[in-house]
Amino acid sequence: QVQLVESGGGLVQAGGSLRLSCAASGLTLSRKTMAWFRQAPGKERDFVCGITWGTSATYYAASVKGRFTISRDNAKNTVYLQMNSLKPEDTAVYYCAAAGGSNYYYRGPPDFASWGQGTQVTVSS
């Protein structure tokens, strides 16, 4: 049974930083493209960033590029999201997800087969 468990969310002031973690069991993260999504109240779930299997290439939404960094520790079977220079508009529930297929660059929620429960990130102004 696949489980993804996020942690590290919280309340931070604008300009601050947080690091989210996503620990996996039941699958090997290094063999999957992994991604972070976020969902604000009343809005759709949006792609934030991804890291491919194989070369671990990273790709980002324009709104977070240069501020957020996704990484993976294969030994710990964990994916991370380092968030710097946070803005109030980054406030959302953040989810990690594992792709269901074997391609590299997925961005749409339907392409992801496994999801964590989410962790709240709140950025105050």
Side-chain angles (χ1 to χ4, degrees):
Q1 182 181 356
V2 175
Q3 267 197 318
L4 301 175
V5 179
E6 302 98 336
S7 61
L11 173 64
V12 64
Q13 287 188 332
S17 299
L18 281 175
R19 188 176 84 151
L20 306 184
S21 300
C22 172
S25 59
L27 82 163
T28 301
L29 293 186
S30 62
R31 298 178 183 175
K32 293 288 184 181
T33 285
M34 300 295 298
W36 288 93
F37 288 79
R38 66 186 181 187
Q39 188 167 20
K43 295 191 176 181
E44 294 184 349
R45 189 168 296 189
D46 290 332
F47 170 82
V48 175
C49 57
I51 183 166
T52 67
W53 66 275
T55 62
S56 294
T58 58
Y59 52 111
Y60 299 89
S63 59
V64 306
K65 196 169 186 179
R67 301 187 297 123
F68 290 12
T69 303
I70 186 172
S71 61
R72 176 170 56 207
D73 185 330
N74 293 336
K76 295 182 178 180
N77 213 31
T78 298
V79 173
Y80 302 98
L81 178 62
Q82 177 68 42
M83 305 185 293
N84 298 328
S85 302
L86 282 161
K87 305 175 182 180
E89 51 262 45
D90 294 319
T91 294
V93 176
Y94 282 71
Y95 299 89
C96 73
S102 57
N103 288 334
Y104 290 101
Y105 297 97
Y106 294 108
R107 290 178 179 261
D111 294 323
F112 290 81
S114 303
W115 293 83
Q117 82 289 351
T119 185
Q120 176 71 45
V121 171
T122 303
V123 184
S124 64
S125 57

